[in-house]
């Protein structure tokens, strides 16, 4: 079967995409048609000088248009929670038992021994090349920052952000256990982050510990981190309650702290798994506090299904994810992202937001109806990252689009979309994925 290819779209300053289907919730402005039962609108899209010039009713496009034959069109994806600095170390440092502590311990050993600037740079580059080829336009990465790593990794992050400017919007947020912020390195890290134009983040656990009952001095430590951010006008992004432990109740504490201190920046909390295990009353109280504090939540379903509920010889009994539907129905912005990729926290992954959408839809029942859930992979994370033109089909915005041969959500979610076409500024890019062999020398993989 003939597929739409490069030659159809290459280097035309003005053309139409005819007979497309797009999610109504991603079309800004008036809809060019009536959404079907999957939320899809059939339409034509005009591309002029690399930008979206019109989304028009089906049949508007003139002769000579590129015929998508009903195929889906998505805005470029936004991946708001990743760990590019950890990515792809799996071959040299696999997780011994698939547990969270196994992941943390293995990563610490690998980091201490191997994370030179060159090592971090090459693995981050590989991850970004994957994301680029899959159609991702913006990525936020956490940067492991426990001394002495901050001084090594943040300059690499800055260089990568500059090198990828105009292709992938890259944001960086620090990651360090809470107790390390009590030391002088807390101030130093906040300065490094501020200097880099980054976001201040921590994991709400102690160094070497898991996400369990809040440790003594939790509130003092949390307040210190908030004040480090506020003194420098930084946004915050935290790893929160990443366990099924009922004692892991950091989320509501963070919400109350943000309120009490009058935190004005953007604040995102990731994971929040244990919320799904809490009694209803506590859930209600937490959701109210999170909404009140204006916190955005990001869920990482692939990584959490891998890590949570894992015990050797015992079948996992829960999906490991937070209360996505309940959060959304309180009006709380919910993003869904990829998280770790081929490292001890998640053995798999390919920086592919379409895979994240497919997996998340199945894991969290983001269907019947799909509703606004497509925004969680696109416009909601774009908003969190402060990117007004990304993650939506918007007139005047760059034509950064992902075109699929799949015509319906059902087709898209049932088959790998490896044959996707990615447009950047209206032009098809090379979607070849980097070869794993490129990292062999770094990872000590057998020939
Ligand atoms: Zn993470």
């Amino acid at each position: 079967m003939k597929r739409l290819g490069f030659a159809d779209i290459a280097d035309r300053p003005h053309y139409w995409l005819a007979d497309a289907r797009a999610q109504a919730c991603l079309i800004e402005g008036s809809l060019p048609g009536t959404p079907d039962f999957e939320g899809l609108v059939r339409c034509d899209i005009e591309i002029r000088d690399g930008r979206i010039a019109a989304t028009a009713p089906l049949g508007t496009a003139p002769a000579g248009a590129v015929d998508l034959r009903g195929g889906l069109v998505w805005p470029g994806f936004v991946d708001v929670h990743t760990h590019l600095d950890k990515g792809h170390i799996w071959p040299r440092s696999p997780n011994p038992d698939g547990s969270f502590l196994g992941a943390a311990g293995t990563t610490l050993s690998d980091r201490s021994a191997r994370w030179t600037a060159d090592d971090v740079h090459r693995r981050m580059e590989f991850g970004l090349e994957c994301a680029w080829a899959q159609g991702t336009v913006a990525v936020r990465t956490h940067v492991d920052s426990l001394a002495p790593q901050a001084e090594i990794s943040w300059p690499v992050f800055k260089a990568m952000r500059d090198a990828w400017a105009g292709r992938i919007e890259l944001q960086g947020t620090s990651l360090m256990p809470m107790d390390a912020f009590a030391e002088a390195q807390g101030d130093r890290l906040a300065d490094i982050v501020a200097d880099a134009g980054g976001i201040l983040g921590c994991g709400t656990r102690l160094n070497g510990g898991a996400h369990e009952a809040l440790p003594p001095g939790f509130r003092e430590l949390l307040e210190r981190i908030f004040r480090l951010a506020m003194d420098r006008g930084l946004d915050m992004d935290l790893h929160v309650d990443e366990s099924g432990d009922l004692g892991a109740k950091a989320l509501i504490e963070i919400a109350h702290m943000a309120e009490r201190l009058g935190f004005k920046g953007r604040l995102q909390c990731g994971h929040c798994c244990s919320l799904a295990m809490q009694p209803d009353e506590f859930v209600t109280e937490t959701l109210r506090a999170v909404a009140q504090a204006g916190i955005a939540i990001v869920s990482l379903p692939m990584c959490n299904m891998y890590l949570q509920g894992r015990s050797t010889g015992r079948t996992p009994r829960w999906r490991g994810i937070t209360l996505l539907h309940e959060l959304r129905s309180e009006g709380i912005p919910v993003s869904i992202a990829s998280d770790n990729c081929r490292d001890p926290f998640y053995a798999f992954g390919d920086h592919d937001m379409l895979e994240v959408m497919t997996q998340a839809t199945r894991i969290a029942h983001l269907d019947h109806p799909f509703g606004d859930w497509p925004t969680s992979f696109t416009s909601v994370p774009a908003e969190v990252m402060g990117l007004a033109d990304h993650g939506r089909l918007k007139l005047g915005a760059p034509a950064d689009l992902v075109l699929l041969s799949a015509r319906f959500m059902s087709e898209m979610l049932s088959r790998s979309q490896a044959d996707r076409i990615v447009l950047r500024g209206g032009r098809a890019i090379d979607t070849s994925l980097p070869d794993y062999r490129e990292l062999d020398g770094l990872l000590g993989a057998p020939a």
Side-chain angles (χ1 to χ4, degrees):
M1 192 184 81
K2 182 185 174 297
R3 291 197 186 282
L4 183 71
F6 258 92
D8 295 305
I9 306 182
D11 295 332
R12 287 160 64 175
H14 177 226
Y15 61 91
W16 283 77
L17 298 171
D19 194 7
R21 279 190 177 85
Q23 275 291 341
C25 58
L26 300 179
I27 299 173
E28 205 160 280
S30 60
L31 291 181
T34 308
D36 68 11
F37 74 106
E38 289 185 326
L40 296 166
V41 174
R42 219 162 162 181
C43 59
D44 295 343
I45 300 171
E46 183 183 19
I47 312 289
R48 188 186 285 278
D49 299 328
R51 296 182 178 271
I52 299 173
T55 50
L58 185 68
T60 308
V66 178
D67 186 3
L68 300 187
R69 296 185 299 151
L72 297 179
V73 173
W74 289 85
F77 302 110
V78 179
D79 200 350
V80 75
H81 181 130
T82 69
H83 295 264
L84 295 174
D85 59 342
K86 289 190 177 84
H88 303 282
I89 63 173
W90 183 266
R92 71 183 186 206
S93 290
N95 188 325
D97 58 5
S99 70
F100 183 90
L101 285 177
T106 307
T107 302
L108 174 63
S109 309
D110 191 86
R111 191 173 70 220
S112 312
R114 316 290 292 267
W115 289 26
T116 60
D118 180 58
D119 179 72
V120 173
H121 177 101
R122 286 177 61 190
R123 290 183 295 96
M124 283 184 75
E125 179 81 13
F126 189 90
L128 286 168
E129 284 171 3
C130 296
W132 163 258
Q134 313 275 20
T136 292
V137 294
V139 173
R140 177 180 287 183
T141 183
H142 293 264
V143 178
D144 274 22
S145 297
L146 188 64
Q149 197 61 44
E151 267 87 359
I152 299 168
S153 289
W154 279 92
V156 175
F157 161 77
K158 287 196 286 184
M160 301 295 289
R161 184 181 54 193
D162 293 348
W164 280 83
R167 291 182 289 163
I168 291 181
E169 288 287 334
L170 189 58
Q171 291 185 351
T173 174
S174 61
L175 179 56
M176 181 162 92
M178 293 183 85
D179 43 338
F181 281 90
E183 305 162 10
Q185 66 169 311
D187 301 273
R188 205 162 58 239
L189 177 59
D191 288 339
I192 289 172
V193 169
D195 174 63
I199 295 152
L200 195 67
C202 72
T204 55
R205 64 182 180 94
L206 301 184
N207 197 5
H211 289 264
E212 49 204 6
L214 301 183
F218 175 87
R219 283 184 186 156
E220 290 71 20
L221 282 170
L222 187 63
E223 178 165 347
R224 168 150 166 83
I225 296 162
F226 264 91
R227 290 201 182 280
L228 287 171
M230 291 170 73
D231 289 348
R232 293 162 181 79
L234 300 174
D235 290 340
M236 295 178 73
D237 193 327
L238 312 179
H239 275 70
V240 179
D241 298 335
E242 193 177 354
S243 76
D245 191 314
L246 288 174
K249 295 177 175 174
L251 181 57
I252 192 167
E253 297 286 337
I254 293 164
H256 288 155
M257 186 67 71
E259 280 279 288
R260 182 165 75 75
L261 300 180
F263 182 72
K264 295 280 184 290
R266 287 194 174 95
L267 171 52
Q268 177 168 263
C269 291
H271 299 288
C272 311
C273 310
S274 64
L275 186 62
M277 306 300 246
Q278 301 291 357
D280 288 349
E281 212 167 296
F282 182 75
V283 167
T284 306
E285 199 186 333
T286 303
L287 295 180
R288 198 176 303 136
V290 168
Q292 178 77 24
I295 295 174
I297 301 291
V298 59
S299 177
L300 302 308
M302 286 155 49
C303 188
N304 284 142
M305 195 160 79
Y306 175 83
L307 288 173
Q308 303 305 315
R310 186 184 282 273
S311 182
T312 306
R314 185 179 186 275
T315 306
R317 308 292 163 90
W318 73 304
R319 288 164 153 85
I321 53 169
T322 192
L323 300 178
L324 292 165
H325 293 270
E326 292 81 350
L327 287 156
R328 277 284 294 263
S329 61
E330 287 297 318
I332 296 161
V334 175
S335 298
I336 300 175
S338 64
D339 210 7
N340 300 73
C341 198
R342 297 183 68 240
D343 70 32
F345 286 90
Y346 186 54
F348 315 110
D350 202 14
H351 308 273
D352 180 7
M353 287 298 287
L354 262 179
E355 188 202 5
V356 175
M357 201 185 318
T358 301
Q359 300 272 7
T361 301
R362 297 171 184 172
I363 295 167
H365 292 176
L366 308 181
D367 49 9
H368 315 315
F370 294 106
D372 286 347
W373 284 112
T375 63
S376 289
F377 310 85
T378 49
S379 57
V380 172
E383 195 101 359
V384 169
M385 290 180 70
L387 303 171
D389 275 354
H390 290 66
R392 63 203 90 209
L393 301 174
K394 178 179 172 181
L395 296 195
D400 296 338
L401 306 172
V402 180
L403 314 182
L404 307 180
S405 61
R407 298 163 299 167
F408 307 105
M409 294 296 279
S410 162
E411 291 180 355
M412 182 188 94
L413 297 169
S414 300
R415 182 178 283 179
S416 153
Q417 301 299 320
D419 60 346
R420 74 193 69 173
I421 288 171
V422 176
L423 302 183
R424 297 303 308 270
R427 295 184 173 178
I429 64 162
D430 181 358
T431 54
S432 313
L433 290 162
D435 192 323
Y436 289 129
R437 290 169 187 80
E438 289 174 20
L439 295 178
D440 280 356
L442 207 57
L443 303 174

